[in-house]
């Protein structure tokens, strides 16, 4: 008997096992054998009447929550005798919001004046949708709307999201508890769900690499699979994104075609984010310029890149500048006890200070132009300065950057200047650059800020004395 029905393997559980299952699930026995199905239909009809607003208060009396609470609870208990699904009831001030809840299969909502009533339908077990399927018939009219036609084609091919306006859609929903029906003049949104098929699924991570015209891999970025959808026509759409969610790689394929549709999207919303979260992504994107080839490889084992054709567009200047700022702030953050975030805007002066601070904090010297300034000299400490004399001077000042009008102190910097004494007025001495084109050499320092040191050995007489 078993072999005749094409069953390759079976096991005998016996009547005792069935009795145990019946004891664990009395609602199933009642539903199928003791008339529970008919009682449930009657009780759900009453519940539907409540949802449709048929409940009224006595003449001249205002309906209070306490007047309907007991009735709703009674109907809820009756409705939850459904062997396949359980029902929860909610009210809110707005339409339903899509949420990813365990076992949730449908939400039926109706608006009653300013309030909304929602009936949430949850599956009781994995096979509930097989025992009592939920089906939907949707009719979409794409005539005269090429954008909708293309969006619906993408949905059919790859299972992508689609929005159908009310004037182009109608639907018939077969929901449990008599909650479905024909929907006319209703907007329809179909949201892509995750499609997982075990061994056939693409890997959860992969590497994307950039190869320059000389054949060297100049940058790599790890991507994580965030979406996997399949259309009713058999197409597959896979989306990978980086950890910062700024670089998105979308690949679409159809079963009857060897071609792949590859789309790369770059995001720019980085205000308020931590530089450490962005530095790897921007370092990679900064290498994407004309002539560079992109390839993908499994993230495990040796790299096995499959490269495409060279990029045909030049690197954007804004992208390059942003990458430099992200890198500089990442370096600065390693030397700053205050949490740094990407600013909403940066002036040209603030940019210069950020780049210089990153250079200094890495232990490298920096150069900068400087303007004439006046200092106070202690007559009891230091050499005598006369107008026209050429001197070497070191000045200590705070090392500070400004982000969104907030100053961040990073340490102390010493500037070494080749100066000429412009004037001396008592203890006030004014210094000018000896050569207008000369620059100060700046390095990290320790000690007191706003201090000036004069190298007395560098003192030279004024030019008018005939000594250079």
């Amino acid at each position: 008997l078993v072999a005749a029905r094409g069953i390759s393997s079976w096991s005998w559980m016996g009547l005792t096992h069935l009795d145990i299952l019946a004891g664990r699930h009395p609602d199933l026995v009642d539903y199928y054998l003791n008339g529970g199905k008919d009682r449930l239909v009657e009780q759900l009809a009453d519940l539907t009447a409540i949802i449709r607003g048929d409940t009224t208060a006595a003449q001249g009396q205002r309906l209070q929550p306490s007047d309907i609470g007991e009735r709703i609870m009674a109907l809820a208990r009756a409705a939850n005798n459904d062997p396949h699904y359980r029902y929860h009831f909610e009210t809110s001030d707005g339409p339903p919001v899509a949420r990813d809840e365990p076992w949730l299969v449908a939400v039926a909502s109706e608006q009653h004046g300013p309030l909304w009533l929602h009936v949430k339908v949850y599956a009781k077990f994995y096979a509930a949708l097989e025992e009592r399927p939920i089906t939907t018939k949707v009719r979409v009219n794409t005539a005269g709307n090429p954008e909708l036609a293309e969006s619906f084609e993408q949905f059919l091919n790859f299972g992508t999201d689609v929005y159908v306006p009310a004037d182009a859609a109608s639907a018939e929903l077969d929901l449990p508890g008599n909650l479905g029906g024909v929907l006319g003049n209703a907007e329809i949104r179909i949201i892509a769900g995750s499609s997982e098929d075990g061994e056939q699924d693409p890997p959860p991570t992969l590497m994307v690499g950039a190869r320059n015209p000389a054949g060297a891999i100049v940058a790599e970025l790890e991507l994580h699979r965030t979406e996997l959808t399949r259309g009713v026509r058999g197409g597959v759409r896979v989306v990978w994104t980086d950890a910062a969610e700024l670089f998105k790689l979308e690949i679409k394929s159809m079963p009857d075609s060897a071609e792949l549709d590859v789309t790369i999207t770059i995001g720019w919303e980085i205000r308020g984010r931590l530089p450490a979260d962005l530095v790897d992504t921007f370092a990679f994107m900064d290498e994407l310029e004309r002539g560079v080839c992109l390839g993908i490889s499994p993230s495990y084992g040796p790299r096995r890149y499959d490269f495409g054709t060279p990029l045909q567009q030049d690197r954007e200047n804004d992208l390059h500048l942003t990458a430099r700022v992200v890198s500089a702030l990442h370096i600065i953050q390693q030397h700053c006890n205050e949490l740094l975030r990407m600013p909403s805007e940066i002036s040209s002066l603030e940019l210069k200070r950020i780049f210089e601070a990153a250079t200094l904090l890495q232990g490298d010297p920096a150069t900068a132009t400087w303007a004439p300034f006046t200092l106070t000299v202690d007559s009891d400490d230091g050499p005598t300065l006369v107008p026209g004399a050429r001197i070497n001077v070191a000045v200590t000042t705070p090392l500070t950057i400004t982000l969104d009008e907030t100053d961040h102190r990073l340490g102390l910097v010493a500037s070494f200047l080749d100066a000429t004494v412009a004037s001396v007025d008592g203890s006030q001495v004014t210094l000018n650059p000896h050569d207008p084109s000369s620059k100060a050499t700046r390095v990290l320092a320790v000690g007191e800020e706003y201090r000036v040191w004069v190298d007395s050995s560098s003192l030279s007489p004024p030019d008018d004395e005939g000594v250079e």
Side-chain angles (χ1 to χ4, degrees):
L1 179 63
V2 174
R5 295 181 179 273
I7 301 175
S8 58
S9 62
W10 60 279
S11 61
W12 182 262
M13 293 184 294
L15 179 60
T16 301
H17 185 75
L18 295 178
D19 288 338
I20 293 174
L21 292 177
R24 289 178 177 175
H25 304 283
D27 49 345
L28 286 173
V29 176
D30 179 69
Y31 183 84
Y32 287 106
L33 301 179
N34 298 330
K37 180 178 180 180
D38 294 335
R39 289 195 302 274
L40 178 62
V41 170
E42 295 175 358
Q43 292 162 339
L44 288 177
D46 291 340
L47 176 62
T48 303
I50 289 180
I51 295 176
R52 291 173 178 167
D54 295 344
T55 299
T56 58
Q59 184 71 24
Q61 294 182 359
R62 174 174 291 185
L63 188 66
Q64 299 295 330
S66 59
D67 298 328
I68 63 172
E70 183 177 351
R71 178 65 170 163
I72 290 179
M73 291 302 298
L75 289 174
R77 287 191 294 269
N80 280 294
N81 284 329
D82 187 328
H84 309 102
Y85 301 97
R86 56 187 174 88
Y87 304 86
H88 288 186
F89 309 95
E90 294 181 1
T91 59
S92 71
D93 295 326
V97 178
R99 296 189 182 93
D100 186 11
E101 298 184 36
W103 301 97
L104 180 64
V105 295
V107 179
S109 302
E110 285 194 14
Q111 185 177 13
H112 298 267
L115 293 178
W116 286 75
L117 176 63
H118 314 289
V119 181
K120 292 187 173 182
V121 184
Y122 297 85
K124 286 187 173 181
F125 50 92
Y126 284 111
L129 290 172
E130 297 178 4
E131 295 291 334
R132 198 299 187 191
I134 295 177
T135 59
T136 304
K137 296 180 181 179
V138 178
R139 297 175 180 85
V140 179
N141 181 11
T142 62
N145 192 335
E147 183 177 350
L148 174 60
E150 174 60 23
S151 178
F152 197 66
E153 279 293 305
Q154 291 294 310
F155 162 72
L156 294 175
N157 288 338
F158 307 109
T160 54
D161 298 352
V162 62
Y163 163 72
V164 184
D167 60 355
S170 63
E172 182 177 348
L173 306 180
D174 180 18
L175 298 180
N178 296 331
L179 295 173
V182 177
L183 302 179
N185 193 33
E187 298 179 353
I188 296 178
R189 297 178 186 270
I190 303 176
I191 302 175
S194 176
S195 174
E196 304 289 342
D197 286 336
E199 296 180 358
Q200 298 181 1
D201 291 342
T205 61
L206 59 78
M207 300 298 297
V208 56
R211 186 183 66 186
N212 66 14
I217 306 298
V218 293
E220 290 184 318
L221 186 65
E222 184 177 49
L223 303 181
H224 300 266
R225 194 184 72 209
T226 56
E227 295 182 54
L228 171 59
T229 60
R230 289 183 169 89
V232 295
R233 294 173 177 169
V236 179
R237 168 181 168 268
V238 190
V239 178
W240 285 275
T241 59
D242 65 307
E245 298 182 348
L246 295 176
F247 186 93
K248 182 171 77 172
L249 175 65
E250 180 185 62
I251 301 179
K252 298 176 181 176
S253 62
M254 292 295 291
D256 55 351
S257 174
E259 296 183 358
L260 299 178
D261 182 5
V262 180
T263 303
I264 295 175
T265 306
I266 295 177
W268 284 91
E269 187 53 53
I270 61 175
R271 290 176 297 178
R273 300 191 61 177
L274 303 180
D277 295 340
L278 308 173
V279 64
D280 291 339
T281 299
F282 272 94
F284 175 81
M285 294 192 300
D286 193 32
E287 298 292 342
L288 304 185
E289 57 183 343
R290 184 182 297 272
V292 167
C293 297
L294 290 180
I296 58 176
S297 167
S299 58
Y300 55 88
R303 296 290 182 260
R304 306 181 295 283
Y305 280 112
D306 182 13
F307 287 100
T309 58
L311 300 179
Q312 299 302 313
Q313 68 272 15
D314 294 324
R315 179 178 55 190
E316 297 185 24
N317 291 332
D318 289 343
L319 175 60
H320 178 60
L321 181 60
T322 303
R324 288 186 61 198
V325 174
V326 170
S327 177
L329 288 178
H330 177 58
I331 293 170
I332 294 172
Q333 181 66 90
Q334 300 173 50
H335 302 268
C336 180
N337 292 329
E338 300 169 343
L339 186 63
L340 305 180
R341 295 184 181 275
M342 296 300 298
S344 55
E345 58 182 18
I346 309 177
S347 68
S348 57
L349 178 59
E350 291 168 347
L351 272 178
K352 292 179 181 178
R353 290 177 175 173
I354 288 173
F355 293 148
E356 181 191 57
T359 299
L360 293 171
L361 292 172
Q362 291 183 102
D364 298 323
T367 59
T369 58
W370 61 283
F373 66 95
T374 300
L375 59 96
T376 301
V377 177
D378 186 349
S379 58
D380 297 330
D381 181 20
T384 301
L385 302 178
V386 295
R390 182 180 181 181
I391 58 175
N392 291 333
V393 179
V395 182
T396 57
T397 54
L399 180 60
T400 304
I401 63 171
T402 302
L403 301 175
D404 285 336
E405 301 182 354
T406 300
D407 293 335
H408 300 275
R409 174 72 177 266
L410 306 175
L412 201 64
V413 62
S415 301
F416 295 91
L417 317 175
D418 182 10
T420 296
V421 179
S423 64
V424 178
D425 184 8
S427 61
Q428 301 295 306
V429 178
T430 300
L431 301 180
N432 290 343
H434 180 72
D435 183 344
S437 63
S438 66
K439 295 184 178 181
T441 300
R442 293 162 60 82
V443 297
L444 287 180
V446 294
E448 299 179 59
E449 61 186 46
Y450 299 113
R451 297 287 293 177
V452 179
W453 284 266
V454 177
D455 182 4
S456 59
S457 64
S458 68
L459 284 173
S460 62
D463 292 341
D464 58 4
E465 295 187 9
V467 180
E468 183 65 19

